Structures are given as structure tokens and as C-alpha cells.
Amino acid sequence: MTYASKAIIDETAAYLASRTRIRPEVGLILGSGLGVLGDELDDSVTIPYADIPHFPMSTVEGHAGELVLGRLQGRQVALMRGRFHMYEGYEAERTTLPIRVMKALGVKTLLVTNAAGGINLGYEPGDLMVISDHLNLTGRNPLAGPNDNALGVRFPDMSEAYSRRLREVVKSTASELGFAVKEGIYAGLLGPNYETPAEICMLRTLGADAVGMSTVSEVIVARHSGIEVMGISCISNMAAGILDQPLSHEEVMETSEKVKERFISLVMAVLPKM
Ligand code: HPA
């Protein structure tokens, strides 16, 4: 069975449309510890992933596992609190079903966020990084297999995966709010182990500024679907081998907790301009 089939996408979208009058134009995917934004929506309905046909379950701590549909800053949004990862054992195509469904519901712009390890030595934990581009090093691709031309072209262009326009919007909005954001390249790996110091050296040589275990498949599917994308990483820790200390999911969650106010104010200010 393929999860990128029109029948499955339409059935899932029809279920969500039956639960609310909200017709989202903006999609938000909130990474580890960043889900608090879901509390800010008006006229909202919250639907656990377990209730949504064909959705997998979110198994990671810090990922609530629910879709919130509602209004935020005058925009109708579909907000994912928690996402699906390939390291949970799901196929790339299945982890990205929500993006196909968002497209079917009318989403035109997607904000993807994540927690990531800082590779660039000029970064520090707590920094926010606008994603300028990515390296798909997961060894997987959600578009592998037969292509349905109704969903997108066989060979989608990725030369501006992360919209230049939206990158400028995020940077200028941050400076209006009085803080600077970094801008850099996100390397997406399969996980679930954190990288070795040697792998981090390799990734730095390859041009990566940050590393994580999500996002790249979602962005590939969004671009295939013709959705404009912007990405923000929260640098939750320095990547392996940079500091003389082990990495842990607790540290990732703690840093996300510390930056959440700045992150929320940035997203709220960016939304009307998306
Ligand atoms: N590596 C990979 N994924 C991550 C990291 C990291 O250091 N921090 C948060 N997600």
C-alpha cells in the first residue's frame, strides 16, 4: 500500500474538514519542545494523531502527537504538535502524509521547525537558525516509487527548497524584534543515535551548519506539492565532539524550553507576512 495515494490523502483530508470549518492556508510543524505555540490558536480544534485515519503514532517524548486547526494572527493554520520520524520505523512516504493532507486542505505555505545540533563553531545553544538549504543524508526519499503526476512532477526542482522571500521575512522580522538569527544549512540524518565526533567533522566539511533527524523528507514532499517552505532550527546543543560532554534528549528539551518565548514571538510576527 502506498500512503501517497490520492484516495488515502483525500480520505484523511475529508475527515479533518468534517471536524472544523477552518480551511488552513498555512502549515506549521513544531519540533521537539516547540509545541507550545499550539496553545495560542483561536477557534481551535485539537485532534490526536491516533484519531486521524492513516496517521502513524508519534512515539517521541516531547512530541505531543496532535494536530491543531485554528486561527493564529489572522491566518487559518494547521499546526502539528510533534511529527513523524523515519527512525521510529515509518517509511519516508508515511512520515510525510501530513504534508500531502495539508496541501489537499489548501495549505500554500509551510513553516517547519526542529531542534538541531550546532555544527558551525560560531553558533551557541539557544540560537535560532533560518534554514537556507539542506543536505538529505537520510539515505531515504519520500518520492521514491511510482510518481502520481496529480501530486507533483517526477523530478521536482530543489534549487530554492527554502523560499528566499520567506528567509528574508524571518531575518528582517527578527531584527525588528531586537534579536539576530543565524542562517545556515541543515543536514538531515536518519538517526536515532546522535552523531559521532568524526561524523560531525565530516558534516562540517560538507558545508553543514546544523544537524538533525527530521525535516528534509517533509520539505521534499512540500516542494513536490508546490508548497512554499520556510524552516527554523533551534540550536539545542552543540553537536558531538565540540564540547567535552555527552549529548542527551533532556538537554535538547531544556534548551527548547529556554528559547520558546523568542521562538513564539518570531513565529507570531512572521505569520501575517507569510
Ligand atoms: N544531532 C542530531 N539531531 C539533533 C541534535 C544533534 O546534535 N540535537 C537535536 N537534534
Side-chain angles (χ1 to χ4, degrees), residues 12 26 28 63 68 92 94 141 150 163 167 175 209 217 224 243 272:
T12 310
V26 175
L28 298 154
H63 283 259
V68 191
R94 191 159 186 219
N141 195 303
S163 155
R167 268 145 57 196
S175 87
D209 297 293
S217 304
H224 185 245
L243 306 175

Side-chain angles (χ1 to χ4, degrees), residues 2 4 91-93 100 140-149 152-155 224:
T2 163
E91 284 166 21
E93 194 180 80
R100 300 275 185 212
R140 312 268 178 90
N141 195 303
L143 307 181
N147 188 64
D148 180 348
N149 291 322
V153 296
R154 172 76 289 189
F155 301 111
H224 185 245

Side-chain angles (χ1 to χ4, degrees), residues 115-118 194-195 211-213 236-240 247 252:
Y194 291 115
E195 302 70 32
V211 59
M213 307 173 194
S236 54
N237 57 282
M238 291 314 287
L247 272 52
V252 170

Side-chain angles (χ1 to χ4, degrees), residues 136-166:
N136 176 14
L137 300 173
T138 63
R140 312 268 178 90
N141 195 303
L143 307 181
N147 188 64
D148 180 348
N149 291 322
L151 300 179
V153 296
R154 172 76 289 189
F155 301 111
D157 174 45
M158 291 292 281
S159 51
E160 199 182 315
Y162 300 81
S163 155
R164 186 167 297 143
R165 177 185 79 86
L166 292 173

Side-chain angles (χ1 to χ4, degrees), residues 1 3 7-9 11-12 49 51-56 94 97:
M1 158 152 118
Y3 282 95
I8 286 186
I9 296 161
E11 187 187 336
T12 310
Y49 294 154
D51 292 354
I52 303 175
H54 310 297
F55 265 41
R94 191 159 186 219
L97 174 65

